[in-house]
């Protein structure tokens, strides 16, 4: 019997987040041929999102378009999602391992009486089962999990699953009516986002990060220049945030954001385990540190022993020429 797989799409600033496509790709890896895939997308003025999604989903796209859904609100979004899920009876629900995905997943799992698996980085299907891999102990170990029964709720770490080219899939778009009960009217009027630049840190392909070695707020300027040339984002260690050199929105690590870019450039960062928890899965790690014994060099694919205030501007100049 075919099973129903559902992805909860994520929209930010009127754009579909890349992690939604990665979640759809994950479903492709986990499902059987005859299983169906549906997407649920909530927001305001999102007809273009539904069109975009229809290129990746071969089943149904449930669109709930209302001004109260413009900004994420756990109570309101969950109340809508559970109504849509009632019509779909899903075998599995996939979300991004993002702030809202992490918020919604346990609520959905409790509602469906499902098992939940968070922060999945890869999926492998054998003849008899689907194995989900996720990191443990701040990325020092990995575990593989299988579901033996019941519905499943899974969050996917951004930037880990490659998205295949657009297929010729054309989904059926279903408009879901929503009239919010007075008790659930939204009180969010605006979202003021603290970001380090134009590129979202968790979705950036290149991240240039600064640590205590950056020494001041001004010390981040050469890092921002390098990130701009590479179309990347700027991150930071907690020590740099604690020292007031940058905003906590930029913190990467165990108590900050988790990033998995193609290239991570660590500048003046020693490589404490709590920092590695947020970036050790990056494809290529480049460390710039004046201490040749800095632990970050044990993890780095490329290491530059030197003063970051000399090395970073040199890199920026070289990349400008490229
Ligand atoms: P340091 O360890 O002080 O390293 C600075 C580095 O800069 C040194 O290696 C030095 O050689 C180099 N340097 C100095 N000047 C230059 C220069 N001019 N050029 C090149 N190199 C230079 N940390 C995080 O980052 N993220 C977290 O989420 C996080 N969570 C934590 C949670 C808990 C519960 C705890 C206890 C700690 C946490 N920490 C976290 C803190 C973590 O333990 C480290 O203290 C922190 O990561 C160190 O930051 P750093 O590497 O920037 O600073």
């Amino acid at each position: 019997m075919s099973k129903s797989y559902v992805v909860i799409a994520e929209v930010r600033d009127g754009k579909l987040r890349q992690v939604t496509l990665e979640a759809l790709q994950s479903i492709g890896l986990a499902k059987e041929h005859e299983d169906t895939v549906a997407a649920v997308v909530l927001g305001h003025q999102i007809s273009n999102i539904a069109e975009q999604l229809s290129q990746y989903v071969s089943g149904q796209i449930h669109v709930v378009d209302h001004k109260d859904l413009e900004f994420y609100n756990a109570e309101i979004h969950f109340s809508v999602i559970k109504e849509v899920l009632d019509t779909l009876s899903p075998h599995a629900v996939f979300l991004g391992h993002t702030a809202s995905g992490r918020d919604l997943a346990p609520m959905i799992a409790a509602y469906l009486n499902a098992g939940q698996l968070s922060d999945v980085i890869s999926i492998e299907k054998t003849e008899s089962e689907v194995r989900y891999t996720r990191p443990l102990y701040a990325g020092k170990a990995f575990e593989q999990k299988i579901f033996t029964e019941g519905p499943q709720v899974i969050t996917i770490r951004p930037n880990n699953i490659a998205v295949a080219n657009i297929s010729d899939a054309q989904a059926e778009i279903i408009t879901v009516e929503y009239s919010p009960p007075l008790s659930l009217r939204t009180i969010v009027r605006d979202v003021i986002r603290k970001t380090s630049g134009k590129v979202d840190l968790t979705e950036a392909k290149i991240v240039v990060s600064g640590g205590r070695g950056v020494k001041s707020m001004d010390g981040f300027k050469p890092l921002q220049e390098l990130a701009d040339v590479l179309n990347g984002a700027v991150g930071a260690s907690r020590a740099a945030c604690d020292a007031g050199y940058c905003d906590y929105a930029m913190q990467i690590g165990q108590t900050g954001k988790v990033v998995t870019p193609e290239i991570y450039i660590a500048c003046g960062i020693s490589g404490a385990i709590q920092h590695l928890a947020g970036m050790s899965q990056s494809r290529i790690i480049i460390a710039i540190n004046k201490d040749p014994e800095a632990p970050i060099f044990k993890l780095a694919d490329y290491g530059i022993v030197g003063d970051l205030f000399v090395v970073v501007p040199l890199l920026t100049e070289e990349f400008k020429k490229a």
Side-chain angles (χ1 to χ4, degrees):
M1 209 177 91
S2 78
K3 296 177 193 138
S4 156
Y5 283 74
V6 178
V7 68
I8 309 295
E10 214 174 299
V11 180
R12 187 192 272 182
D13 297 333
K15 291 194 189 118
L16 187 66
R17 293 197 73 184
Q18 174 72 12
V19 71
T20 296
L21 302 183
E22 293 164 8
L24 280 165
Q25 190 70 33
S26 306
I27 290 178
L29 296 172
K31 78 179 183 77
E32 297 295 336
H33 187 63
E34 67 276 12
D35 293 338
T36 61
V37 181
V40 181
V41 56
L42 280 61
H44 185 40
Q45 296 176 333
I46 48 170
S47 53
N48 59 327
I49 303 286
E51 288 298 324
Q52 193 185 343
L53 265 175
S54 72
Q55 297 169 346
Y56 295 88
V57 179
S58 51
Q60 296 174 336
I61 300 173
H62 298 257
V63 184
V64 199
D65 196 327
H66 192 280
K67 65 175 170 29
D68 279 9
L69 301 172
E70 183 173 1
F71 302 116
Y72 176 71
N73 174 308
E75 208 181 358
I76 294 176
H77 276 62
F78 176 59
S79 75
V80 179
I81 288 168
K82 67 183 188 182
E83 276 184 35
V84 179
L85 291 181
D86 281 346
T87 66
L88 293 170
S89 307
H91 165 71
V93 179
F94 282 61
L95 305 97
H97 194 71
T98 58
S100 61
R102 289 192 311 235
D103 203 28
L104 283 168
M107 291 191 267
I108 295 173
Y111 183 66
L112 297 176
N113 201 13
Q116 193 205 319
L117 199 51
S118 297
D119 205 14
V120 166
I121 58 168
S122 71
I123 297 162
E124 185 195 337
K125 191 157 67 181
T126 67
E127 287 210 346
S128 55
E129 62 197 18
V130 179
R131 293 183 192 157
Y132 298 94
T133 304
R134 44 175 256 144
L136 286 179
Y137 304 122
K140 282 209 149 211
F142 297 89
E143 67 171 354
Q144 283 200 326
K145 292 265 193 188
I146 55 165
F147 286 91
T148 50
E149 59 179 79
Q152 314 166 5
V153 175
I154 294 146
T155 65
I156 301 292
R157 183 182 283 200
N159 262 351
N160 266 277
I161 312 266
V163 176
N165 289 337
I166 298 178
S167 71
D168 53 7
Q170 278 298 327
E172 179 192 0
I173 298 178
I174 298 172
T175 305
V176 181
E177 290 305 321
Y178 172 66
S179 41
L182 275 177
S183 59
L184 285 183
R185 287 240 182 250
T186 182
I187 52 163
V188 182
R189 285 184 180 275
D190 201 0
V191 173
I192 298 164
R193 205 161 281 125
K194 291 181 173 175
T195 56
S196 57
K198 295 163 224 143
V199 185
D200 185 300
L201 188 53
T202 53
E203 292 189 350
K205 298 280 176 231
I206 299 178
V207 172
V208 182
S209 247
R212 205 193 311 262
V214 169
K215 293 189 178 70
S216 68
M217 235 186 222
D218 277 352
F220 267 90
K221 282 186 184 155
L223 275 61
Q224 184 68 60
E225 279 162 21
L226 177 58
D228 287 346
V229 169
L230 297 172
N231 194 28
V234 178
S237 73
R238 177 158 144 185
C241 300
D242 284 345
Y245 305 161
C246 57
D247 196 278
Y248 279 103
M250 292 159 67
Q251 184 185 320
I252 288 168
Q254 189 178 319
T255 44
K257 294 196 165 91
V258 174
V259 296
T260 328
E262 304 279 338
I263 303 175
Y264 187 88
I265 308 177
C267 311
I269 293 178
S270 60
I273 178 73
Q274 295 90 352
H275 186 76
L276 303 191
M279 44 64 76
S280 61
Q281 295 303 305
S282 307
R283 304 261 189 309
I284 297 172
I285 296 169
I286 302 169
I288 304 167
N289 198 303
K290 64 181 185 186
D291 175 8
E293 302 299 324
I296 189 87
F297 286 128
K298 291 200 184 106
L299 180 72
D301 299 284
Y302 300 94
I304 303 172
V305 179
D307 186 335
L308 70 93
F309 296 105
V310 176
V311 176
V312 172
L314 282 174
L315 288 176
T316 307
E317 283 316 306
E318 283 307 310
F319 284 121
K320 269 185 189 162
K321 289 180 205 160

